[in-house]
Amino acid sequence: MSAWAEVRQLQEELYNVQLQTAKNKLSERNCIAVIQRLINLGWLEVIFSCDGKEYITPKQLEKDVLDELYVCGGRVALTDLAQTLNVDYSHVEKKVNELLSRDITLSIHYGELISKQFFDNLAVEINETLQETGLLPLTQLSREVALPVATLSKELVPRVGEIIFGTYDKKTDTLFTAAFVERQAAKLRGACSAATRPIQLGKIMEAHGITPSLGHSCVKEMISAGRLQGQLQGQSNNPVFIPSLYTSSQNQWASSFYQQNGYITLEMMGNKGIDNPQSVLSQFNSAIMLPSGAVSEPLSLEFSPL
């Protein structure tokens, strides 16, 4: 007998076996009775479907929950799980709580079961957007993905530097890239370097669309590094930048007036916008300090009693 003939014979034998009916076969009613008996004895734990037509074991429910979570991209509402799996919501909630107690990669947020993979994938998408725009507020992202800013901050900040290549500003809940910071710093450096008198940083940042906290820190860093000549004064939410050129010209005016007239008053210096007149007066040699200003020694002798 050839090999092909043997194959045909085996196929026919298999077909004949499949046509045969089992001699001992339980009816559906008997199956239900057996299962119910096992349940009553405590030998079998099952969960009934909502329509009462099916049984499911807790272990199978757990598998179905995880499978559905995967199919849904790592994020699924518990109400949707109950509807899809055709079981009561209480069973789904109980099983999810069991999973959360054992699996740290799962979390629950406002009635939604979310996996670590979901936030990893979200971080990848955020990084792509961030590299294009340079700036991404979490408030904007919150509206797009329907998750609170607090949740996004908790889950995404640990991924900054690993998946998201940028910096996170906690004060404003904003992500930005190093290139974006450099562009903002260049705008600020240009505007501040061109200033000849004190200017409010808030107006500059508003005109150029710069985040206040980021702009303030950029200016402080440039001043410390010597890339920007001047100083910041006033409140941190709206500081004033005073150029060194302005300070130098004010000090020069005060010194010139004192040298020519032999005196100078605090009121005069205040009118000229000198914020720290005492520091300027301390630079005058042999000056006699008065509550209202300073006078030179030769001038004071002219008015001294004989």
Side-chain angles (χ1 to χ4, degrees):
M1 181 181 295
S2 64
W4 177 248
E6 291 180 1
V7 172
R8 291 296 299 271
Q9 182 178 352
L10 290 173
Q11 287 178 338
E12 290 176 3
E13 292 177 359
L14 177 61
Y15 178 72
N16 293 329
V17 170
Q18 291 174 336
L19 291 177
Q20 295 177 6
T21 57
K23 295 180 180 180
N24 299 321
K25 184 177 181 182
L26 291 175
S27 66
E28 182 177 345
R29 184 187 297 256
N30 291 336
C31 289
I32 294 175
V34 170
I35 293 176
Q36 190 61 50
R37 179 63 175 169
L38 293 174
I39 294 174
N40 294 337
L41 292 173
W43 295 352
L44 179 64
E45 182 182 359
V46 296
I47 298 170
F48 290 90
S49 62
C50 290
D51 54 16
K53 296 180 179 180
E54 296 178 339
Y55 303 104
I56 184 174
T57 64
K59 185 175 182 179
Q60 183 62 40
L61 177 59
E62 178 177 317
K63 181 179 182 301
D64 291 345
V65 167
L66 294 175
D67 288 346
E68 190 64 23
L69 178 64
Y70 177 79
V71 170
C72 293
R75 179 185 180 186
V76 63
L78 268 60
T79 52
D80 293 339
L81 275 175
Q83 183 176 0
T84 302
L85 301 180
N86 193 27
V87 295
D88 189 76
Y89 178 85
S90 61
H91 296 303
V92 172
E93 185 178 35
K94 179 181 178 182
K95 183 54 63 178
V96 167
N97 288 332
E98 291 176 5
L99 286 169
L100 292 173
S101 66
R102 302 195 314 265
D103 193 342
I104 61 174
T105 65
L106 299 177
S107 57
I108 191 81
H109 298 280
Y110 296 89
E112 291 185 315
L113 180 62
I114 304 179
S115 68
K116 175 181 177 294
Q117 190 62 38
F118 170 82
F119 287 111
D120 285 343
N121 293 336
L122 179 61
V124 172
E125 295 177 6
I126 289 173
N127 183 61
E128 292 176 356
T129 302
L130 183 63
Q131 301 311 314
E132 294 177 0
T133 61
L135 176 74
L136 182 59
L138 292 193
T139 51
Q140 173 187 332
L141 184 64
S142 175
R143 293 190 296 268
E144 294 175 357
V145 301
L147 283 173
V149 171
T151 298
L152 293 174
S153 175
K154 176 184 176 182
E155 296 293 341
L156 296 178
V157 170
R159 292 168 169 82
V160 173
E162 296 180 0
I163 301 177
I164 303 173
F165 298 102
T167 304
Y168 174 69
D169 182 11
K170 186 177 181 180
K171 292 183 179 179
T172 59
D173 287 315
T174 303
L175 292 165
F176 46 81
T177 62
F180 176 81
V181 175
E182 291 177 2
R183 291 196 298 270
Q184 304 298 355
K187 293 178 182 178
L188 287 169
R189 186 168 64 250
C192 292
S193 297
T196 57
R197 59 179 46 254
I199 54 174
Q200 291 184 340
L201 276 185
K203 293 183 178 180
I204 298 177
M205 291 185 287
E206 183 179 356
H208 293 281
I210 300 173
T211 305
S213 59
L214 176 60
H216 189 195
S217 61
C218 282
V219 172
K220 286 182 63 177
E221 183 179 341
M222 287 189 292
I223 291 175
S224 300
R227 298 167 60 193
L228 188 61
Q229 304 302 316
Q231 59 181 326
L232 287 177
Q233 289 187 1
Q235 299 178 351
S236 59
N237 59 343
N238 189 20
V240 175
F241 175 73
I242 303 176
S244 295
L245 178 64
Y246 175 81
T247 303
S248 177
S249 64
Q250 295 300 86
N251 293 347
Q252 186 176 357
W253 172 87
S255 177
S256 177
F257 184 92
Y258 176 79
Q259 295 296 333
Q260 292 178 10
N261 299 280
Y263 76 96
I264 191 169
T265 66
L266 297 179
E267 181 180 2
M268 295 168 61
M269 298 175 73
N271 293 336
K272 280 292 185 177
I274 299 176
D275 295 325
N276 191 7
Q278 296 295 345
S279 175
V280 177
L281 293 179
S282 64
Q283 299 176 15
F284 299 160
N285 296 327
S286 302
I288 299 175
M289 300 301 171
L290 302 174
S292 59
V295 63
S296 66
E297 186 174 349
L299 185 61
S300 68
L301 292 176
E302 294 181 14
F303 294 96
S304 300
L306 298 175

